[in-house]
């Protein structure tokens, strides 16, 4: 039994072992192949490595069930590989989209955003060219905005009408489109411009997806290759996802750019408003300051100083006639009449040779002008401030004119009462003191006439003189009359204007004539003291003015005493002694001091017909003595004493001196 058992056991064991050994070997081979598939999956090996090994490399031959298991396991492994590959690719795409979204979110410049979009699209899809077009709503088309990988200038500048080409179709339908070979794809509306640009760039496969903001399409994002191929749905989805991110980034960048521009505009507007507000405050302060000066009764000089201080320049103020009223901080002269006229016409301050000029107006009436020096670069705000100063100056001038007119009425009434003698003489001094005139002091009366200046201008000029010298001016019987404190209280010693009212008249004629630009004739009388003597003085001054015009002495000024014997004849009170004194005074005084006979010699000289030899015979002296005496007389009377007019005056004075009574008012030396 043991032997039988031993023999059977190995045999059986051998058979069994042999059979079992072969089956075990085959099973082990199948298991190793399955393990190999798992290793390939773990390693991410390429698909070709998953194929079963050739029969010669399999070792023991697999039976059909095991071979079927191995084949099925291989197919499952390949499916798993594809799934893992898809997951890895999707993960990579999602990571790329996430990175893209982060990159786009960090960008602030619209151009940088667009360039980043096409660059990222090219990296994600691995195409030859990527580009982006934006819609032009006004033109009704879409235009190429950014490219990456393009080499054709025509392609980079192409514009597509809505519905034209692949991009125009995407832009008009808001749907993605792709083509494996654009040149042969008849689905799209081909145009010469688009086809030429595509051909020049060498593109064949093109994918375009819309850039959408809600339901609105703002552009198209493209990916293209220069070889024909088909874009997969995954590529379409990937580019569409990128386009969605890009549209949001583009809109965000646009909004940010608009916000930035709005902030810049807002800041500029804020600065403008602030500057305008400062200018308004400054203008209001200046206006209040100037108005306060007017209300406080400040004079025109104070206003000129205030204007110069506010505008930091020199100031000149003139009236409508060009007469300077005030000056502050400048040596400049009167502004040009053309600049004043331009400012008056335009109603604005104008610049002339570095000086700003503003007409001072009351409606259409020109009251005067303001000139601002030292500010050639006057800005708009300061220009308006300068013009506002003109308004305030107009108020002051109107106020001054109203006051002056009221004072002139009072002064005119006082002047009329003085010259007519109709009012109570006792009340006149008090009325005069209220307007600053002291009738207790000697005053002269002047009657004026101008053949060139209008009467009102002459009256205005006379009024200015009266105000400056504490006198009176006005119209009396259609004549302009001045009553002024007499600068000289006595008659002149000679026949010409001397230190008397005649000298005052001559000076007044020159002053007024220069101011009015034409001759002014002035007849004078006085000085007189007390209200009762003014009517006679006015009548005498009027006769003197008439005589001056009759004698052809327009533009001169004199008193009747300065007109020689004619003045004596025109005078109401014949002052023969005064006439002799004014005519022969220097010779009479010389004879009185030296005991000479120059007066007698002069009379004899005229009696003998101005013959020196006959005069010498009549005087019983040598002719040289007569010559010496006549030279002395000439030095005393002036070199023109022998002119016919002077000679006549001298002869008349000599005759009056000969017949004058000893008790005459003017005592004279004996003849």
């Amino acid at each position: 039994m043991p032997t039988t058992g031993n023999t059977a056991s190995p045999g059986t064991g051998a058979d069994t072992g042999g059979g079992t050994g072969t089956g075990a070997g085959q099973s082990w081979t199948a298991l190793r192949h399955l393990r190999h598939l798992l290793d390939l999956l773990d390693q991410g090996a390429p698909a070709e490595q998953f194929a079963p090994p050739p029969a010669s490399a399999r070792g023991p031959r697999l039976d059909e069930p095991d071979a079927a298991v191995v084949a099925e396991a291989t197919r499952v492994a390949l499916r798993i590989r594809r799934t893992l590959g898809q997951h890895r690719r999707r993960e990579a795409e999602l990571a790329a989209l996430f990175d893209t979204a982060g990159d786009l979110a960090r960008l602030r410049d619209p151009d940088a955003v667009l360039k980043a979009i096409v660059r990222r699209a090219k990296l994600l899809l691995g195409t030859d060219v990527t580009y982006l077009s934006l819609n032009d709503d006004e033109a009704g088309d879409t235009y190429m905005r950014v490219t990456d990988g393009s080499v054709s200038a025509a392609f980079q500048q192409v514009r597509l009408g809505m519905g034209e080409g692949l991009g125009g179709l995407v832009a008009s339908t808001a749907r993605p489109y792709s083509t494996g070979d654009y040149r042969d794809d008849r689905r799209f509306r081909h145009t010469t411009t688009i086809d030429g640009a595509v051909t020049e760039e060498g593109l064949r496969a093109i994918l375009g997806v819309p850039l959408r903001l809600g339901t609105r399409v703002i552009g198209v994002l493209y990916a293209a290759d220069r070889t024909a191929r088909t874009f997969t749905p995954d590529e379409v989805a990937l580019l569409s996802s990128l386009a969605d991110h890009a549209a949001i980034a583009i809109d965000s960048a646009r909004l940010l750019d608009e916000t930035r521009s709005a902030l810049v505009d807002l800041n500029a507007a804020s600065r403008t408003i602030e500057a305008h507000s400062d200018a308004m405050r400054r203008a209001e302060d200046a206006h209040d300051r100037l108005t306060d000066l007017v209300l406080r009764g400040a004079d025109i000089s104070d206003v000129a100083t205030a204007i110069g201080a506010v505008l930091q320049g020199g100031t000149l103020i003139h009236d409508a006639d060009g007469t300077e009223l005030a000056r502050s901080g400048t040596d400049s002269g009167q502004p040009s009449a053309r600049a004043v006229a331009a400012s008056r016409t335009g109603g604005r301050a104008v610049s002339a040779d570095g000086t700003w000029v503003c007409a001072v107006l009351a409606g259409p009436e020109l009251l005067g002008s303001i000139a601002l020096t030292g500010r050639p670069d006057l800005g708009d705000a300061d220009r308006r401030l300068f013009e506002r100063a003109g308004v305030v100056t107009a108020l002051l001038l109107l106020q001054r004119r109203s006051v002056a007119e009221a004072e002139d009425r009072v002064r005119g009434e006082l002047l009329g009462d003085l010259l007519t003698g109709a009012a109570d003489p006792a009340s006149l001094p008090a009325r005069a003191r209220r307007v600053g005139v002291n009738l207790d002091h000697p005053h002269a009366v002047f009657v004026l006439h101008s053949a060139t200046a209008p009467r009102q201008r002459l009256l205005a000029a006379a009024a200015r003189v009266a105000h400056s010298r504490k006198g009176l001016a006005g119209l009396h019987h259609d004549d302009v009359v001045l009553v002024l404190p007499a600068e000289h209280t006595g008659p002149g010693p000679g026949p010409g204007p001397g230190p008397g009212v005649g000298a005052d008249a001559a000076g007044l004629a020159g002053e007024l004539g220069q101011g009015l630009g034409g001759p002014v004739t002035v007849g004078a009388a006085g000085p007189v003291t007390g209200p009762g003597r003014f009517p006679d003085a006015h009548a005498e001054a009027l006769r003197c003015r008439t005589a001056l015009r009759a004698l052809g002495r327009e533009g001169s000024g004199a008193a009747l005493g300065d007109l020689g014997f004619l003045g004596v004849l025109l005078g109401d009170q014949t002052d023969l002694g005064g006439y002799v004194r004014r005519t022969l005074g220097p010779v009479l005084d010389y004879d009185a001091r030296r005991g000479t006979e120059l007066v007698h010699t002069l009379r004899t000289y005229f009696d003998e017909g101005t013959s020196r030899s006959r005069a010498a015979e009549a005087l019983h002296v040598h002719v040289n003595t007569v010559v010496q005496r006549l030279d002395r007389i000439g030095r005393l009377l002036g070199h023109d004493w022998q002119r016919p007019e002077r000679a006549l005056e001298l002869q008349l004075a000599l005759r009056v001196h000969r017949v004058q009574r000893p008790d005459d008012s003017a005592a004279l030396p004996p003849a």
Side-chain angles (χ1 to χ4, degrees):
M1 286 186 63
T3 303
T4 303
N6 290 338
T7 303
S9 179
T12 304
D15 292 340
T16 303
T20 303
T22 302
Q26 291 174 343
S27 298
W28 179 250
T29 301
L31 290 174
R32 284 195 305 168
H33 189 69
L34 292 176
R35 172 61 185 269
H36 178 66
L37 291 175
L38 293 175
D39 290 339
L40 292 175
L41 288 173
D42 180 57
Q43 296 168 7
E48 56 269 18
Q49 293 186 14
F50 283 80
S56 59
R58 289 181 182 177
R61 185 178 183 85
L62 295 176
D63 56 16
E64 289 185 7
D66 289 339
V69 171
V70 170
E72 181 62 25
T74 301
R75 287 192 295 271
V76 172
L78 288 172
R79 286 199 303 270
I80 293 173
R81 179 188 176 280
R82 284 194 299 271
T83 301
L84 291 175
Q86 290 173 351
H87 288 171
R88 292 192 188 98
R89 185 170 64 253
R90 177 60 63 184
E91 182 181 356
E93 291 172 354
L94 290 175
L97 287 173
F98 181 79
D99 293 341
T100 300
D103 292 342
L104 295 178
R106 286 190 294 271
L107 295 174
R108 294 293 180 265
D109 181 33
D111 288 338
V113 169
L114 298 178
K115 292 178 181 177
I117 290 170
V118 296
R119 187 178 305 111
R120 183 70 67 171
K122 186 178 180 185
L123 292 174
L124 288 176
L125 274 73
T127 55
D128 296 327
V129 181
T130 51
Y131 50 99
L132 182 147
S133 65
L134 294 179
N135 290 359
D136 188 339
D137 294 332
E138 293 183 1
D141 61 7
T142 181
Y143 63 96
M144 196 70 68
R145 183 66 175 81
V146 180
T147 65
D148 192 337
S150 172
V151 295
S152 169
F155 182 79
Q156 296 167 11
Q157 299 173 4
V158 70
R159 298 183 74 97
L160 296 79
M162 290 298 179
E164 293 180 354
L166 184 145
L169 188 59
V170 173
S172 63
T173 63
R175 294 172 56 189
Y177 281 90
S178 65
T179 178
D181 194 342
Y182 177 78
R183 290 177 296 181
D184 298 330
D185 198 331
R186 297 294 96 187
R187 292 178 300 162
F188 309 109
R189 191 198 310 170
H190 291 262
T191 67
T192 303
T193 302
I194 299 174
D195 288 355
V198 171
T199 301
E200 184 174 323
E201 188 63 53
L203 300 181
R204 301 189 66 181
I206 303 175
L207 169 61
V209 296
L211 296 170
R212 286 178 292 199
L213 287 175
T215 59
R216 185 167 65 94
V217 177
I218 64 172
V220 180
L221 179 61
Y222 306 84
D225 275 326
R226 293 189 172 91
T227 58
R229 76 176 184 90
T230 300
F231 287 96
T232 66
D234 289 342
E235 290 176 316
V236 175
L238 178 60
L239 191 61
S240 296
S241 298
L242 183 59
D244 291 338
H245 285 84
I248 296 173
I250 290 172
D251 192 54
S252 298
R254 178 187 61 81
L255 292 175
L256 183 62
D257 188 59
E258 292 178 355
T259 302
R260 187 182 297 113
S261 299
L263 287 175
V264 171
D265 294 340
L266 183 61
N267 289 334
S270 177
R271 289 192 296 270
T272 301
I273 292 172
E274 184 178 356
H276 181 69
S277 179
D278 290 342
M280 289 294 294
R281 284 195 297 270
R282 185 165 169 242
E284 290 174 359
D285 292 342
H287 186 270
D288 292 343
R289 178 178 177 183
L290 295 174
T291 304
D292 183 62
L293 287 176
V294 175
L295 295 177
R296 287 193 291 105
D299 60 21
I300 197 69
S301 299
D302 296 329
V303 174
T305 302
I307 294 173
V310 169
L311 294 175
Q312 300 178 349
T315 311
L316 281 168
I317 300 179
H318 292 79
D319 65 9
D321 296 326
T323 302
E324 182 178 311
L325 301 179
R327 174 189 296 267
S328 175
T330 181
D331 296 329
S332 298
Q334 181 178 346
S336 68
R338 179 178 300 178
V340 176
S343 176
R344 180 182 185 183
T345 301
R348 299 292 307 276
V350 299
S351 178
D353 299 327
T355 298
W356 284 90
V357 179
C358 182
V360 179
L361 303 172
E365 181 184 0
L366 178 66
L367 300 179
S369 65
I370 309 176
L372 180 67
T373 64
R375 288 293 307 276
D377 56 343
L378 198 64
D380 289 340
D382 284 346
R383 181 180 180 183
R384 289 191 294 271
L385 182 56
F386 181 44
E387 292 165 353
R388 181 171 291 190
V391 175
V392 174
T393 304
L395 293 176
L396 179 61
L397 293 181
L398 285 174
Q399 183 186 57
R400 283 166 50 92
R401 186 168 71 178
S402 298
V403 173
E405 288 175 351
E407 289 183 356
D408 288 343
R409 284 194 297 271
V410 174
R411 290 171 178 270
E413 293 172 357
L414 174 62
L415 180 65
D417 291 343
L418 277 175
L419 300 183
T420 59
D424 179 12
S427 66
L428 294 178
R431 289 172 56 190
R433 282 194 294 272
R434 284 197 291 270
V435 294
V437 177
N438 187 356
L439 294 180
D440 294 333
H441 291 168
H443 281 72
V445 180
F446 304 92
V447 179
L448 317 178
H449 178 267
S450 175
T452 58
R455 184 178 300 165
Q456 289 301 322
R457 283 194 64 196
L458 179 61
L459 177 60
R464 285 194 291 270
V465 174
H467 282 295
S468 64
R469 301 184 189 177
K470 297 183 178 181
L472 300 173
L475 286 175
H476 186 68
H477 299 320
D478 294 333
D479 289 317
V480 178
V481 180
L482 261 173
V483 172
L484 299 176
E487 296 181 5
H488 306 94
T489 58
V501 293
D504 297 341
L508 189 60
E511 179 183 349
L512 293 174
Q514 183 177 5
L516 296 174
V520 175
T521 307
V522 181
V528 296
T529 304
R533 300 187 61 187
F534 278 93
D536 293 339
H538 168 255
E540 182 178 328
L542 179 60
R543 288 195 299 273
C544 181
R545 195 279 315 271
T546 303
L548 287 173
R549 296 186 64 199
L551 293 173
R553 293 175 59 178
E554 291 278 358
S556 64
L560 282 179
D562 302 317
L563 301 182
F565 192 72
L566 180 61
V568 174
L569 294 178
L570 294 174
D572 284 341
Q573 299 177 354
T574 303
D575 183 13
L576 296 178
Y579 171 69
V580 172
R581 167 64 59 185
R582 287 190 296 274
T583 307
L584 293 174
V587 180
L588 294 172
D589 292 340
Y590 190 88
D591 282 349
R593 290 193 305 270
R594 303 291 182 90
T596 58
E597 297 182 349
L598 293 182
V599 172
H600 180 60
T601 300
L602 182 60
R603 182 184 300 115
T604 304
Y605 174 70
F606 282 124
D607 289 344
E608 296 298 331
T610 66
S611 171
R612 297 176 181 178
S613 59
R614 289 198 298 270
E617 292 177 2
L619 294 172
H620 306 291
V621 297
H622 193 272
V623 67
N624 288 339
T625 302
V626 174
V627 171
Q628 292 173 359
R629 291 179 180 178
L630 294 178
D631 288 342
R632 171 66 61 184
I633 291 171
R635 287 194 292 272
L636 293 172
L637 297 180
H639 67 279
D640 63 341
W641 69 275
Q642 296 192 68
R643 291 180 56 189
E645 292 180 0
R646 289 290 306 280
L648 176 60
E649 294 286 343
L650 290 171
Q651 292 178 66
L652 289 173
L654 289 169
R655 288 181 181 275
V656 172
H657 179 260
R658 175 183 290 178
V659 301
Q660 190 171 28
R661 297 187 303 273
D663 59 348
D664 281 343
S665 60
L668 300 175

